[in-house]
C-alpha cells in the first residue's frame, strides 16, 4: 500500500504512462523471500484483472454479462501463501516447459538432461520443475497503448535452472482491450538450445459458481493425445470421434467426464492434450456459462483441457470463497506434452539466434 502511494506521489509510474490504480500494491512476501505486488488492469469494456508479479498470476478476473454484472471467474488468494499451500499453478505463467516431461529426463544434441520429478505420482517433470517460472517475482511494467491497458512481465532464467540448458530471456505481455479480450504474448530467446513451451495456467468458471460440470465446452480438434497412467502421451494422436474426447460440437462438461474410457480415467477425468485443427492464429475453443462465454484463440497446436480433477475441496481461496474439485477448468495453449522425448511431435527446441513467439487470446462475451 505504501509503495502505491509513494509511486503515485512521485509520478514515476504516471510518467511511464500508467495510472495510479495500476501502480503496484504490496502483496506480501513469497516463501522464497521475494516481495510480491498486485496490479489492476481495467479495460474500457468492463473486463478487469488483478494480477501479481509473483509468477504473473492472475488473481481476479472480473467479466461483465449483458446486464453489466461483473463476476470474478478465476481462483486466487489473499496472499502468496495461498498458492504455496495448494499446488495447482493457479493463474500462473508456466515455464520453461508447460506440462510433463516423462521421467524428468530428455536427450538433446547428444546430451542427456536430468530434471526433478516434481510430479511424483506421474514420475514426470511438471510445469518447469520444483521452482518453475511461477515461483519467481517477475519484473513488471504496466502500460497504456491507445485504448488498451496491459502489463509486461519479464525475467531471465539462468543456464542450468531446474536442469535445463541455456540462459532464457522471457517476456510475457498481458493486454486487455476494450472488446474484453485478454491477449497474452510470449517471447523468448536463448544462448543454448533448450526446450521452451510456455503457457498460462489460469482457471475459469464463467458463472463464478462452485462447479464447471454444468457449463459447456467446444474444442476444434478432431484428434487428441492418448496417454498412459503417468499422463504421458503414447502412440500417435487418436480420433476423438466416438469417444468422450469429442468436443467438436458444444458438450456439457459433466456429461461424459466419468465415462469408463480407460484413457479418460487416467485423468481421472479430462486432463489431456487436444491436437487442434487448422493452423495459424484461429479460434480453437469456446466455453459457455449461463450469461457469459469465452472464446480461445491461439497460434498454438495443442490445448490441455484440465478439468480441475486434483483441486481439493479443503483448499481455501480469496474472500473465503469455496473451492471445489472440478469447480474450475484450465485451457492451456501449448505444444504437446513430453515433446522433448517425442521426435515425431513438432519440436519445442529453441536455438540461439531464434525468437520464440506465441499468442493466445481469451475473448469474453455475453450470452
Ligand atoms: C495441468 C496438468 C494437470 C495438473 C494441473 C495442475 O496442466 O495437466 O495434470 O498437474 O496442471 O494441478
Amino acid at each position: 500500500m505504501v509503495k502505491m502511494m509513494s509511486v503515485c506521489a512521485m509520478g514515476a509510474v504516471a510518467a511511464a504512462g500508467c495510472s495510479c490504480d495500476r501502480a503496484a500494491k504490496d502483496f506480501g512476501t513469497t516463501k522464497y523471500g521475494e516481495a510480491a505486488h498486485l496490479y489492476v488492469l481495467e479495460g474500457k469494456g468492463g473486463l478487469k484483472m488483478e494480477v501479481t508479479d509473483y509468477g504473473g498470476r492472475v488473481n481476479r478476473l472480473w467479466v461483465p454479462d449483458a446486464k453489466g454484472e461483473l463476476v470474478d471467474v478465476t481462483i486466487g488468494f489473499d496472499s502468496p501463501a495461498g498458492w504455496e499451500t495448494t499446488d495447482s499453478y493457479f493463474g500462473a505463467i508456466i515455464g520453461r516447459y508447460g506440462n510433463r516431461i516423462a521421467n524428468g529426463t530428455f536427450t538433446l544434441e547428444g546430451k542427456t538432461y536430468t530434471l526433478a520429478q516434481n510430479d511424483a505420482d506421474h514420475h514426470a517433470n511438471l510445469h518447469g520443475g520444483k521452482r518453475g517460472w511461477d515461483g519467481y517475482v517477475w519484473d513488471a511494467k504496466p502500460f497504456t497503448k491507445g485504448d488498451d491497458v496491459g502489463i509486461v512481465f519479464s525475467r531471465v532464467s539462468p543456464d542450468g535452472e531446474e536442469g535445463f540448458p541455456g540462459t532464457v530471456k522471457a517476456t510475457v505481455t498481458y493486454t486487455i482491450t476494450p472488446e474484453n479480450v485478454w491477449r497474452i504474448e510470449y517471447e523468448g530467446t536463448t544462448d543454448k538450445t533448450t526446450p521452451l513451451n510456455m503457457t498460462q495456467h489460469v482457471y475459469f468458471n464463467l458463472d463464478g459458481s462452485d462447479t464447471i460440470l454444468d457449463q459447456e465446452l467446444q474444442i476444434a480438434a478432431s484428434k487428441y493425445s492418448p496417454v498412459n497412467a503417468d499422463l504421458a502421451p503414447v502412440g500417435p494422436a487418436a480420433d476423438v470421434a466416438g469417444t468422450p474426447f469429442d468436443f467438436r460440437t458444444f458438450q456439457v462438461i459433466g456429461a461424459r467426464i466419468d465415462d469408463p474410457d480407460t484413457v479418460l480415467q487416467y485423468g481421472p477425468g479430462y486432463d489431456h492434450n487436444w491436437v487442434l485443427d487448422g493452423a495459424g492464429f484461429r479460434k480453437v475453443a469456446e466455453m459457455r456459462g449461463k450469461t457469459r462465454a469465452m472464446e480461445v484463440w491461439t497460434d498454438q497446436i495443442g490445448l490441455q483441457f484440465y478439468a480441475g480433477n486434483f483441486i481439493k475441496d479443503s483448499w481455501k481461496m480469496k474472500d473465503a470463497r469455496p473451492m471445489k474439485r472440478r469447480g474450475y477448468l484450465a485451457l492451456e495453449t501449448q505444444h504437446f506434452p513430453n515433446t522433448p522425448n517425442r521426435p515425431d511431435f513438432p519440436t519445442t527446441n529453441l536455438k540461439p539466434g531464434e525468437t520464440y513467439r506465441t499468442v493466445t487470446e481469451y475473448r469474453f462475451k455475453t450470452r
Side-chain angles (χ1 to χ4, degrees):
M1 195 56 86
V2 172
K3 185 165 179 184
M4 177 178 76
M5 302 306 286
S6 61
V7 165
C8 287
M10 291 185 312
V13 171
C18 152
S19 64
C20 281
D21 63 350
R22 282 182 294 124
K25 279 193 222 173
D26 287 348
F27 193 43
T29 305
T30 75
K31 69 175 180 185
Y32 303 102
E34 294 180 312
H37 307 94
L38 281 176
Y39 301 81
V40 175
L41 308 177
E42 190 159 5
K44 292 196 166 166
L47 181 64
K48 187 172 166 183
M49 172 186 290
E50 184 185 76
V51 58
T52 167
D53 49 9
Y54 183 23
R57 296 164 198 265
V58 176
N59 195 38
R60 290 182 162 84
L61 189 62
W62 290 280
V63 177
D65 68 6
K67 292 181 186 147
E69 193 190 318
L70 290 176
V71 158
D72 177 7
V73 299
T74 200
I75 295 175
F77 298 93
D78 294 322
S79 72
W83 287 279
E84 294 162 357
T85 51
T86 58
D87 70 358
S88 292
Y89 302 87
F90 297 116
I93 296 170
I94 303 294
R96 246 177 238 202
Y97 198 90
N99 210 273
R100 295 183 171 83
I101 298 178
N103 302 309
T105 182
F106 65 94
T107 301
L108 178 61
E109 297 177 340
K111 195 170 165 197
T112 297
Y113 293 88
T114 305
L115 314 169
Q117 293 190 19
N118 60 311
D119 185 33
D121 290 350
H122 301 113
H123 309 100
N125 179 271
L126 176 68
H127 295 328
K130 281 191 175 155
R131 187 179 181 188
W133 291 3
D134 57 296
Y136 290 85
V137 170
W138 291 53
D139 183 60
K141 286 196 175 49
F143 67 86
T144 300
K145 197 171 167 193
D147 286 338
D148 295 345
V149 292
I151 190 161
V152 182
F153 291 112
S154 51
R155 85 170 284 264
V156 177
S157 166
D159 187 10
E161 185 178 68
E162 288 291 329
F164 287 97
T167 306
V168 173
K169 292 184 181 161
T171 301
V172 182
T173 305
Y174 297 170
T175 303
I176 305 282
T177 78
E179 295 80 29
N180 292 340
V181 173
W182 169 24
R183 181 180 309 127
I184 310 168
E185 292 162 284
Y186 304 85
E187 263 191 42
T189 57
T190 185
D191 59 2
K192 284 184 194 161
T193 306
T194 181
L196 184 61
N197 188 31
M198 297 166 73
T199 190
Q200 225 296 344
H201 213 308
V202 64
Y203 288 71
F204 299 103
N205 176 324
L206 293 181
D207 295 334
S209 67
D210 64 4
T211 183
I212 45 138
L213 296 180
D214 59 354
Q215 295 175 38
E216 291 177 309
L217 185 64
Q218 180 255 331
I219 304 175
S222 320
K223 292 187 182 288
Y224 75 107
S225 305
V227 292
N228 60 20
D230 280 339
L231 295 181
V234 284
D239 290 335
V240 296
T243 77
F245 296 95
D246 191 350
F247 280 87
R248 288 173 297 175
T249 55
F250 277 99
Q251 302 290 326
V252 175
I253 293 165
R256 301 166 301 172
I257 197 168
D258 290 321
D259 189 281
D261 180 289
T262 308
V263 172
L264 182 62
Q265 282 302 319
Y266 286 141
Y270 297 112
D271 190 359
H272 299 78
N273 173 62
W274 271 254
V275 177
L276 297 168
D277 291 342
F281 187 69
R282 67 229 185 268
K283 181 183 165 186
V284 298
E286 182 166 344
M287 180 181 180
R288 284 182 180 161
K290 291 189 177 66
T291 60
R292 294 169 190 78
M294 179 187 78
E295 298 179 0
V296 184
W297 289 64
T298 189
D299 54 12
Q300 277 287 7
I301 58 172
L303 181 76
Q304 184 82 12
F305 161 32
Y306 167 57
N309 308 300
F310 301 128
I311 295 177
K312 294 200 171 55
D313 295 1
S314 57
W315 289 347
K316 300 272 178 287
M317 73 153 130
K318 62 196 171 191
D319 309 330
R321 270 169 50 184
M323 182 151 54
K324 290 227 159 67
R325 178 170 191 250
R326 297 178 175 168
Y328 289 76
L329 62 71
L331 297 168
E332 304 150 68
T333 55
Q334 56 198 18
H335 269 47
F336 306 157
N338 200 28
T339 296
N341 291 304
R342 291 291 301 258
D344 53 326
F345 288 173
T347 187
T348 47
N349 289 342
L350 181 72
K351 298 193 172 113
E354 296 175 345
T355 301
Y356 170 100
R357 274 197 193 92
T358 176
V359 184
T360 291
E361 288 183 358
Y362 296 106
R363 299 184 177 184
F364 296 93
K365 42 186 202 178
T366 62
R367 61 184 300 240

